[in-house]
Amino acid sequence: MENLQPITFDGIDADSPLIIAGPCSAETRSQVLDTATRLAEKGIKVFRAGIWKPRTKPGGFEGVGSEGLEWLKEVKELTGMKTSTEVATRAHVEEALAAGVDLLWIGARTSANPFAMQEIADTLQAMGADVPVLVKNPVNPDIELWIGAMQRLYNAGIRRLGAIHRGFSTYGKDLYRNMPLWHIPIELSVRYPQLQIICDPSHIGGKRELIAPLSQQALDMGFHGLIIESHCNPDCALSDAAQQVTPEVLSFILNTLVVRDKSHSAENLTLLRQQIDGIDNELLEVLNKRMKVSREIGRYKKEHRMPVLQSSRFNDVIASRRKLGEDMGMSAEFMKTVLLAIHEESVRQQIEVLNERP
């Protein structure tokens, strides 16, 4: 994906974060037009609304269907806003483009299905469509699956292509509805620097009070924009009520966000970056020393026919080092990730020694 083009629209500042806002679902004509009018008054240029809603279980509100596309047409005529919606099938793509929808996005369930992605890609190619498409990350943390979904669209000729980071599904209770796992979109950005990544704080947080801090974090990390759910009467929304905000609250949130200057010269950082490079080299040297000791331990275990993994020792090491790292100001999750990675490599080194031939 080397020749990606930026997702921009006439009349929208390409140097500012792209803001897409609107209700989770288009429910009624009056709800859509009321929300869109109030968002337009607050300066929002791209309106979003789910027309077809994939639900986990049957019986819930699954969207109004094609009728809602007529409401998006009215939004365009009334406010001049660009419109966007989610598509998951050939029919969705055909109907949305016929209705003049300006931007399409692919949901997390669909992006995880290569057959569905190929059908959408084939449909866009057959129609000769030149439309921006955003692809949400799959529900499970699989960056290759996410990339594969976008590659299918790229191979079909879509060049105005972007990604939406909406977090990854988890089991059990947690602060977030979907864990951010920021390292995954960061890796995506490193591998494809031209790819624009939009953050979906509504689906990551699952609660309206988390939208502001998650949005700021995304902008601080260099994301290219935000897609946020906004409803004229959030508490009465037919889907995802807890994570939607009114247009007025959204405007307040956006006005409090700090947008970092990406064009600022980094020359003054050179000295500090040189220090980082030196410290990284020292870290690698220390890790190398540690692995040499691990191999010696492996030889001892081999001579005495001891198992490589000793759970009690492992648990003690992880707990003590994790606490030490937290005392130094590093997060518990970071320390767990680092220590597990080091331990995994130590085990691999010891197994390699055990398998050495005399």
Side-chain angles (χ1 to χ4, degrees), residues 87-141:
V87 294
T89 68
R90 181 186 303 276
H92 292 172
V93 174
E94 292 173 344
E95 291 186 48
L97 293 183
V101 173
D102 301 287
L103 180 148
L104 306 178
W105 81 80
I106 314 295
R109 291 178 175 89
T110 307
S111 65
N113 185 336
F115 294 108
M117 287 305 308
Q118 192 60 53
E119 178 180 291
I120 291 171
D122 290 344
T123 304
L124 289 167
Q125 187 171 37
M127 297 180 69
D130 179 21
V131 60
V133 182
L134 299 174
V135 181
K136 288 194 173 186
N137 62 261
V139 292
N140 53 315

Side-chain angles (χ1 to χ4, degrees), residues 159-267:
R159 294 295 179 266
R160 289 187 290 166
L161 183 62
I164 298 178
H165 174 48
R166 48 80 75 189
F168 302 89
S169 296
T170 57
Y171 294 97
K173 293 183 178 179
D174 199 277
L175 172 62
Y176 303 109
R177 177 180 177 182
N178 294 292
M179 288 296 292
L181 301 183
W182 296 105
H183 65 281
I184 294 180
I186 289 174
E187 181 181 346
L188 182 66
S189 180
V190 170
R191 290 170 66 172
Y192 298 97
Q194 288 182 294
L195 183 71
Q196 291 183 308
I197 305 180
I198 308 297
C199 183
D200 180 352
S202 303
H203 278 90
I204 292 176
K207 308 181 193 73
R208 55 182 67 118
E209 60 267 24
L210 293 177
I211 291 176
L214 285 167
S215 296
Q216 186 62 67
Q217 188 168 357
L219 294 183
D220 289 346
M221 295 171 68
F223 279 53
H224 297 85
L226 305 166
I227 180 167
I228 300 177
E229 292 186 345
S230 179
H231 192 291
C232 57
N233 190 358
D235 291 333
C236 296
L238 298 181
S239 58
D240 291 347
Q243 65 190 44
Q244 300 194 65
V245 295
T246 64
E248 292 71 29
V249 169
L250 174 63
S251 178
F252 175 80
I253 290 172
L254 295 177
N255 286 332
T256 62
L257 296 178
V258 177
V259 180
R260 309 299 175 186
D261 184 3
K262 296 181 182 179
S263 64
H264 195 279
S265 172
E267 290 181 7

Side-chain angles (χ1 to χ4, degrees), residues 3-7 130-131 153-162:
N3 300 312
L4 294 173
Q5 298 175 9
I7 297 175
D130 179 21
V131 60
L153 296 171
Y154 184 84
N155 292 342
I158 300 299
R159 294 295 179 266
R160 289 187 290 166
L161 183 62

